[in-house]
Amino acid sequence: MSYVDGFVIPVPKENVEAYKKMSLECGKVWKEYGALEFRECIGDDVPPGKVTSFPLSVDLKEGEAVVFSWIVYASRAARDEINDKVMKDPRVAHHMDPKNMPFDGKRMIWGGFEMMIDL
């Protein structure tokens, strides 16, 4: 079954366009190396919670938006191989430097997930 990397990211609203530009550039590289899907979504209906919520998960500050993203791969092995190539690609290196990120990478949540159901 497929494998998915998922991300929840706090992006300052003033940096949304810069984030989109970065994501489009990086997404092309991921797809070039074999990612099946590369999706970026910006929060539209993400209410704060009392115990858990998307805003709480990234310590969302005033003036920020929650971005929910995922990349789909054919398998975990494919993901590991693709990510290894992407991280070595000079087109992506600039974006991986925390000084160049249009968001606070320390508050980003990410993880790899084995697909359980795919309808």
Side-chain angles (χ1 to χ4, degrees), residues 9-83:
I9 306 164
V11 178
K13 291 178 182 175
E14 64 193 27
N15 293 349
V16 168
E17 287 305 313
Y19 181 86
K20 284 170 63 174
K21 182 179 183 297
M22 177 198 73
S23 181
L24 285 167
E25 290 173 10
C26 291
K28 288 177 185 174
V29 176
W30 254 276
K31 293 281 292 190
E32 179 182 313
Y33 286 121
L36 303 176
E37 295 180 32
F38 188 96
R39 306 285 188 211
E40 297 274 5
C41 307
I42 192 159
D44 179 57
D45 183 17
V46 287
K50 292 185 173 152
V51 179
T52 61
S53 69
F54 280 106
L56 284 172
S57 71
V58 294
D59 190 24
L60 195 69
K61 310 284 188 217
E62 188 171 328
E64 293 180 331
V66 174
V67 170
F68 175 57
S69 310
W70 67 93
I71 306 170
V72 179
Y73 309 90
S75 65
R76 168 74 190 264
R79 175 262 213 162
D80 292 346
E81 182 180 320
I82 291 165
N83 280 346

Side-chain angles (χ1 to χ4, degrees), residues 1-5 76 112-117:
M1 261 217 168
S2 300
Y3 197 82
V4 178
D5 278 338
R76 168 74 190 264
F113 299 83
E114 192 173 298
M115 186 85 65
M116 188 168 63
I117 296 173

Side-chain angles (χ1 to χ4, degrees), residues 100-112:
N100 299 323
M101 291 180 176
F103 61 92
D104 181 358
K106 293 176 185 163
R107 292 188 286 137
M108 175 176 75
I109 296 173
W110 60 273

Side-chain angles (χ1 to χ4, degrees), residues 81-97:
E81 182 180 320
I82 291 165
N83 280 346
D84 184 55
K85 290 176 183 175
V86 168
M87 293 305 151
K88 292 176 183 171
D89 193 297
R91 296 172 291 175
V92 174
H94 171 79
H95 299 299
M96 296 300 133
D97 183 339

